[in-house]
Amino acid sequence: MFVRQFNRYFLHKLPHSGDCLALKSLLSASVTEGNVVVVQQPNGGEPLQFPSVWLRDNCQCSACFHANTKSRQANWKRASVESRIRSINGGAEKDVLTIDWQDNHKSTFRLDWLQDRDFAPTNRKRYIEEVYKPTYQLWGKSEFSNVLRSFEFKDVMQQEEVLLAWLESLAIQGFSRIKNSPHDLTVARQLADRIGYIKRTTYGEEFEVKSKDNARNYAYLMTPLPLHTDMPYYEYKAGINILHCYVQSQSQGGSNLMTDGFYIAEKLRKEFPKLFEILVKTPVDWYDIGKDGGMSFHNIWRAPTICTKRDSHFTVPLEQVAPWYEAYDKFIELAYAEAVNFKTNPGDVFVFNNLRMLHGRTAYEDSPTNKRHLIGAYVDWDIIYSKIRIIRAKYSTKC
Ligand SMILES: [Zn+2]
């Protein structure tokens, strides 16, 4: 309360200027009774606020901070939380705040550094949305045409702004379509390399989705492929799935199905809270046992996640099984009710968030002259978000 009144008092006195180059006066600062440092900005913006213990912990001097590695010096024995400010000086140097601590340490902080880390709710929100991760836009079937984003392969490969827009669409809408890619087996790899690098799994780096004799994975059959996410049996699941349509089936089927799983989970939470609770709390045994590329594997991951490839091992108490099926059936019913259906053409690349989108395929039939053939590759979200941040920072106009 004290801080709020303090701010209001100063706000009246400060001139307002939207121009961040017009830094006419020096910054000033003071400390509240609650040990919060309040910095008045020279250009008259909202006062910035920082707990003094946080400033002490984030001292930028060379003894406390290693500038080259952008890291705190590796010493966990930081100054006591009780370390008080002896004096604070905002006017010694232009746009620099100087603090003398009672333990005879001295810290200096640049105004732009402080502005970027201000604890005000608006600034924390800005950081989370603009720097950390863009906010998801959940969508149902009726909104599909509004959330569909299409990009030209050539533009994604050649223009950094288009690459950024593509990655943002994956982060926000959860999927997108890339058109007019060349008739080339390396398209999925080229796109993964454009972001960073491919995630290797038990199915190799690139994987081919086509009907195979003696198929060792359900996706390699011509039967309908129910809605699912890939690799629920991995602790570190694939972030996005890049599916390049190399040859499409000329038969009736072979369409993609897709539902926003987060939208369905949210719908379930609102409309059937008890069922939602069961799906959140009941751990499920996901598994994959097989052989690919000469390597045998036996993956198990135990987690309360919605998926369709469950082990027949179900390691929960007996009485939890039937309620889980009831909740699961409702989730699947909602997921199919909201699923969109579309068929990709050769040269299309369907890319989606594998942790969010449930995807599937209708049945199809190969003929001797027409064999459906997709090539897929995975990329992890850590790599994608990093790329988004790097490109955004490059084009940032923040001053
Ligand atoms: Zn220091």
Side-chain angles (χ1 to χ4, degrees):
M1 182 53 83
F2 175 78
V3 169
R4 202 168 298 147
Q5 285 167 353
F6 187 86
N7 289 350
R8 203 172 295 136
Y9 171 75
F10 272 94
L11 271 174
H12 288 301
K13 300 199 145 202
L14 290 162
H16 254 281
S17 163
D19 183 359
C20 43
L21 292 172
L23 302 174
K24 294 189 182 75
S25 55
L26 296 167
L27 57 86
S28 65
S30 52
V31 191
T32 69
E33 282 168 355
N35 277 321
V36 171
V37 172
V38 180
V39 180
Q40 306 301 330
Q41 302 191 66
N43 66 345
E46 287 277 335
L48 312 172
Q49 297 181 37
F50 310 93
S52 65
V53 61
W54 177 88
L55 285 166
R56 184 68 187 82
D57 181 40
N58 287 284
C59 176
Q60 297 291 291
C61 83
S62 59
C64 298
F65 189 76
H66 191 257
N68 270 358
T69 56
K70 295 187 172 60
S71 303
R72 281 184 190 83
Q73 296 284 9
N75 179 1
W76 299 114
K77 282 169 70 185
R78 62 160 160 68
S80 162
V81 174
E82 297 302 319
S83 181
R84 298 293 172 102
I85 291 172
R86 182 183 289 144
S87 69
I88 188 161
N89 187 348
E93 203 183 321
K94 192 170 185 279
D95 297 337
V96 171
L97 179 75
T98 307
I99 299 177
D100 278 306
W101 302 92
Q102 283 184 358
D103 59 359
N104 296 322
H105 199 77
K106 188 177 171 182
S107 305
T108 55
F109 302 97
R110 288 193 333 269
L111 176 62
D112 59 345
W113 186 93
L114 291 168
Q115 284 168 332
D116 205 33
R117 290 159 179 79
D118 178 26
F119 279 77
T122 46
N123 188 55
R124 283 185 280 121
K125 190 165 181 279
R126 173 198 67 79
Y127 184 76
I128 287 171
E129 289 173 4
E130 291 177 15
V131 184
Y132 180 52
K133 291 177 181 178
T135 310
Y136 291 134
Q137 180 188 355
L138 306 187
W139 54 271
K141 191 176 185 172
S142 62
E143 294 147 297
F144 181 58
S145 55
N146 292 334
V147 293
L148 172 64
R149 303 280 183 275
S150 290
F151 301 90
E152 289 290 319
F153 177 82
K154 178 171 59 64
D155 296 343
V156 169
M157 296 304 290
Q158 292 172 1
Q159 299 175 35
E160 212 163 36
E161 296 94 320
V162 180
L163 171 64
L164 176 63
W166 173 48
L167 298 180
E168 285 176 339
S169 77
L170 293 176
I172 297 167
Q173 286 84 26
F175 76 102
S176 64
R177 179 175 64 185
I178 290 181
K179 296 187 296 185
N180 298 316
S181 68
H183 189 66
D184 182 327
L185 292 165
T186 66
V187 162
R189 173 175 290 277
Q190 286 182 52
L191 287 168
D193 287 347
R194 178 76 171 130
I195 306 170
Y197 45 87
I198 280 184
K199 177 187 181 73
R200 189 188 166 87
T201 72
T202 35
Y203 292 95
E205 295 197 340
E206 292 134 301
F207 51 92
E208 296 199 308
V209 185
K210 55 182 177 181
S211 169
K212 294 176 187 172
D213 293 334
N214 304 317
R216 289 184 184 274
N217 186 294
Y218 203 84
Y220 302 159
L221 300 171
M222 284 188 272
T223 52
L225 184 59
L227 288 171
H228 64 284
T229 57
D230 285 3
M231 322 212 90
Y233 40 78
Y234 262 35
E235 180 168 359
Y236 303 103
K237 295 172 230 317
I240 59 161
N241 197 331
I242 302 173
L243 277 182
H244 171 216
C245 180
Y246 186 69
V247 178
Q248 183 54 282
S249 176
Q250 285 158 11
S251 72
Q252 276 285 312
S255 307
N256 291 93
L257 293 174
M258 178 177 61
T259 298
D260 184 349
F262 286 5
Y263 173 79
I264 302 302
E266 196 51 31
K267 198 173 162 71
L268 195 72
R269 191 177 66 81
K270 280 188 194 139
E271 296 173 17
F272 306 94
K274 282 187 185 149
L275 300 183
F276 176 80
E277 198 68 3
I278 290 168
L279 290 185
V280 166
K281 287 189 172 158
T282 314
V284 173
D285 302 78
W286 312 102
Y287 83 110
D288 194 30
I289 299 172
K291 204 173 181 181
D292 196 281
M295 196 175 89
S296 296
F297 48 82
H298 185 164
N299 289 105
I300 306 175
W301 176 241
R302 197 163 178 267
T305 314
I306 316 302
C307 196
T308 53
K309 194 175 180 185
R310 285 166 293 113
D311 201 339
S312 44
H313 295 101
F314 196 176
T315 50
V316 297
L318 187 77
E319 64 276 12
Q320 287 181 19
V321 175
W324 183 84
Y325 274 98
E326 193 195 336
Y328 171 77
D329 287 349
K330 180 56 76 180
F331 183 91
I332 297 298
E333 178 194 320
L334 296 178
Y336 271 96
E338 294 291 343
V340 293
N341 185 318
F342 55 93
K343 192 166 179 175
T344 51
N345 299 311
D348 284 349
V349 189
F350 170 42
V351 192
F352 56 91
N353 181 345
N354 180 55
L355 307 177
R356 170 178 166 187
M357 294 295 148
L358 297 162
H359 65 285
R361 183 200 62 220
T362 60
Y364 67 96
E365 255 177 74
D366 279 349
S367 72
T369 53
N370 168 232
K371 292 190 190 301
R372 189 178 190 267
H373 186 175
L374 308 186
I375 299 129
Y378 299 120
V379 178
D380 283 327
W381 273 108
D382 287 324
I383 312 305
I384 300 162
Y385 281 124
S386 161
K387 192 72 178 182
I388 289 176
R389 291 177 199 125
I390 298 283
I391 305 177
R392 277 185 174 182
K394 211 162 147 183
Y395 294 99
S396 171
T397 51
K398 192 170 170 286
C399 56

